[in-house]
């Protein structure tokens, strides 16, 4: 019998040396990407910032802000060639764990109306729409609203 190597999936804290790869993924994924400097500022500010690695290669990342019993998903991304395989769900579940560990009772995020796949993922994780932010995101034809979603953790 031939042993088949299983892919190794690891989530770890983002480090400064990860920023070029994180920035590369950001630019491959979004028309209006964050700069590498913004990611560096998130690290400096102490925001929980994590990378998802497949066989040692960074394929995704997520950044939270936490405080006052709340967390906010600031940015989350999976490499374009790795989407549709459950990695986004895995990453979001871990980010929710991290939010909980940081004392959050609820988590907020914004998502573009033009991103139905992300909306569906967030809804499947228990997020629900609580509002809209008009003209929140830059877009090719001006600005795009943001759908604001929230998840309340059940108190135990």
């Amino acid at each position: 019998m031939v042993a088949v190597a299983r892919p190794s999936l690891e989530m770890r804290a983002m480090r400064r040396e990860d920023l070029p790869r994180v920035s590369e993924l950001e630019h491959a994924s979004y028309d209006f990407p964050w700069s590498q400097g913004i990611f560096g500022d998130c690290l400096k500010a102490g925001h929980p910032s994590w990378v998802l690695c497949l066989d040692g290669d960074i394929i995704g990342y997520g950044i939270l802000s936490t405080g006052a019993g709340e967390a906010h998903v600031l940015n989350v991304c999976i490499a374009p060639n790795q989407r549709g395989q459950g990695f986004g769900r895995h990453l979001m579940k871990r980010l929710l764990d991290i939010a909980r560990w940081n004392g959050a009772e609820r988590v907020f995020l914004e998502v573009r109306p033009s991103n139905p796949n992300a909306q569906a993922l967030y809804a499947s994780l228990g997020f629900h729409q609580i509002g809209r932010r008009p003209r929140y995101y830059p877009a090719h034809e001006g600005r795009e609203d943001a759908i604001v979603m929230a998840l309340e953790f059940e108190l135990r």
Side-chain angles (χ1 to χ4, degrees):
M1 180 191 287
V2 175
V4 177
R6 293 183 53 205
S8 166
L9 197 60
E10 172 197 19
M11 193 152 157
R12 63 167 173 76
M14 187 184 294
R15 302 184 289 245
R16 192 154 282 297
E17 59 265 25
D18 297 328
L19 295 182
R21 173 63 178 153
V22 167
S23 185
E24 177 186 330
L25 290 178
E26 177 83 358
H27 280 78
S29 298
Y30 301 115
D31 289 338
F32 301 92
W34 281 14
S35 69
Q36 188 170 318
I38 292 173
F39 288 104
D41 289 345
C42 288
L43 289 178
K44 275 190 225 164
H47 292 314
S49 304
W50 294 81
V51 293
L52 182 65
C53 301
L54 179 65
D55 291 332
D57 295 324
I58 296 172
I59 63 162
Y61 54 86
I63 300 173
L64 297 168
S65 70
T66 58
E70 298 178 351
H72 195 117
V73 178
L74 299 178
N75 195 330
V76 64
C77 181
I78 297 294
N81 65 333
Q82 298 292 346
R83 293 183 188 151
Q85 301 178 62
F87 295 127
R89 176 174 302 283
H90 181 85
L91 177 62
M92 280 299 298
K93 283 182 172 182
R94 298 298 68 80
L95 289 177
L96 294 175
D97 288 342
I98 292 160
R100 215 181 261 116
W101 295 332
N102 278 277
E105 297 173 10
R106 70 194 60 77
V107 180
F108 298 96
L109 59 80
E110 289 87 16
V111 62
R112 289 178 183 264
S114 61
N115 191 347
N117 291 340
Q119 291 174 54
L121 171 62
Y122 303 145
S124 75
L125 292 168
F127 283 87
H128 61 278
Q129 182 174 341
I130 61 167
R132 285 179 92 91
R133 295 188 197 280
R135 302 175 38 80
Y136 184 78
Y137 290 111
H140 291 293
E141 300 295 322
R143 307 285 298 177
E144 182 177 7
D145 289 357
I147 296 171
V148 181
M149 301 182 84
L151 169 70
E152 301 276 338
F153 291 131
E154 291 183 20
L155 298 177
R156 295 181 188 163

